[in-house]
Amino acid sequence: SSRVLWTLAVTQFEKCFQFGSRRDRQLMLDELLAQQPGIDQPLLSMVKDQFANYVVQKMIDAADEGHKRVIVEAIRPHLQTLKKYTYGKHIIGRVEKLLR
């Protein structure tokens, strides 16, 4: 099913981010933060997803300070909206902790 493929893709993305070079991580972040008309940034879609939000949590954990700042700043304007999503709440806790 497409859900299984999504789960596998998310897991592979996590491993690539965790073990990739700084340049690889930057390229991945650039893709996740790309803005396309009429749809959420991929990062925001991941935060709302049951499986992908875990990957975003792991990305925050694995990121260096510069990349953490980029991820947090991308999520920050959406904190109120994310409170509506069951899985978004996990990210909110991490982001708010980093903002303190």
Side-chain angles (χ1 to χ4, degrees), residues 31-45:
E31 286 297 316
L32 289 179
L33 299 173
Q35 190 65 52
Q36 297 178 17
I39 61 172
D40 282 343
Q41 288 176 322
L43 180 66
L44 294 178
S45 296

Side-chain angles (χ1 to χ4, degrees), residues 22-78:
R22 187 173 200 309
R23 186 178 188 301
D24 293 337
R25 289 179 184 187
Q26 184 62 53
L27 292 170
M28 293 170 80
L29 277 176
D30 291 346
E31 286 297 316
L32 289 179
L33 299 173
Q35 190 65 52
Q36 297 178 17
I39 61 172
D40 282 343
Q41 288 176 322
L43 180 66
L44 294 178
S45 296
M46 289 175 71
V47 169
K48 298 173 189 175
D49 182 81
Q50 177 181 1
F51 299 105
N53 83 78
Y54 173 80
V55 174
V56 176
Q57 292 175 56
K58 291 298 180 184
M59 287 173 58
I60 292 169
D61 292 343
D64 61 30
E65 289 306 312
H67 286 151
K68 269 186 188 155
R69 199 171 26 252
V70 169
I71 295 167
V72 167
E73 290 304 318
I75 295 171
R76 179 187 230 170
H78 306 281

Side-chain angles (χ1 to χ4, degrees), residues 3-19 28 46 49 51-52 54-56 58-59:
R3 191 75 200 157
V4 171
L5 290 176
W6 171 247
T7 305
L8 290 171
V10 164
T11 303
Q12 290 303 310
F13 186 91
E14 173 193 353
K15 296 301 177 195
C16 290
F17 192 86
Q18 187 176 8
F19 297 109
M28 293 170 80
M46 289 175 71
D49 182 81
F51 299 105
Y54 173 80
V55 174
V56 176
K58 291 298 180 184
M59 287 173 58

